[in-house]
Amino acid sequence: MNDAASADALLDGQALVWTPAERESFFAAIARHRRAAWRVSLVCGLGAAVLALVMALLLAPLLYCVIGLAIDVVNLVVPLPDAMGFFGRTLDHLLEGRHVAASEVIAVTALAALPGLLLMALVGAVLRRALRTSPLFDVGDLPGRAPDRSVLAEQRIANVVEE
């Protein structure tokens, strides 16, 4: 039945009857939903990666100031190489107004985002550990029982789980 015919059947009040060729098997529907879920997960992962990069770049000036202050404090006791000067010279080189290669821009962006990405990874690890050890998310202690086969709704859920 095509879409126009099914719409006409619904408007006329007739029952919609699917032919065997038009029906989708349960396993084909599950496979289709798994493919769609994989695509949605991929898009969500890419979105999270872009947000992490943006947050890392926004945090970069603050983190580089903290790193610079820490290097200056340590430099009072033990002489260290001029790491912040190297980063400043690299930025000056890119901002001179001449044509720069894309690889240089990517390298400087990665260097600028590195402290923020490390901070984001640390925060993610701490949150993951907190959620793993939290008693609020412990599914082992949830009360449960076998479905009652005399209740139709529980029988349906049991059938879905068994399939």
Side-chain angles (χ1 to χ4, degrees):
M1 207 181 247
N2 62 21
D3 290 337
S6 63
D8 290 339
L10 289 177
L11 288 176
D12 294 337
Q14 298 173 355
L16 183 63
V17 179
W18 297 96
T19 64
E22 295 173 324
R23 292 186 189 131
E24 182 178 23
S25 75
F26 174 78
F27 297 108
I30 293 296
R32 183 173 48 84
H33 288 293
R34 281 188 181 151
R35 283 192 303 272
W38 181 83
R39 288 183 199 120
V40 169
S41 298
L42 178 67
V43 170
C44 289
L46 289 174
V50 167
L51 286 174
L53 180 64
V54 169
M55 282 300 299
L57 289 172
L58 289 173
L59 288 172
L62 175 67
L63 293 174
Y64 273 110
C65 287
V66 170
I67 291 169
L69 287 173
I71 288 174
D72 284 344
V73 169
V74 172
N75 202 20
L76 294 173
V77 178
V78 179
L80 295 174
D82 187 20
M84 297 306 284
F86 167 75
F87 186 68
R89 286 189 297 277
T90 305
L91 280 178
D92 284 342
H93 173 71
L94 286 177
L95 298 174
E96 284 178 350
R98 65 173 186 80
H99 179 68
V100 293
S103 62
E104 289 180 77
V105 173
I106 291 171
V108 169
T109 303
L111 183 64
L114 186 64
L117 288 175
L118 291 175
L119 180 66
M120 297 285 288
L122 177 69
V123 167
V126 168
L127 284 174
R128 189 176 309 115
R129 181 166 185 239
L131 290 175
R132 196 177 324 121
T133 59
S134 172
L136 295 175
F137 299 102
D138 187 16
V139 294
D141 294 337
L142 290 178
R145 60 174 176 78
D148 184 4
R149 299 288 180 169
S150 64
V151 178
L152 182 60
E154 291 186 18
Q155 176 64 40
R156 285 181 185 159
I157 291 174
N159 289 342
V160 169
V161 170
E162 287 173 1
E163 287 176 1

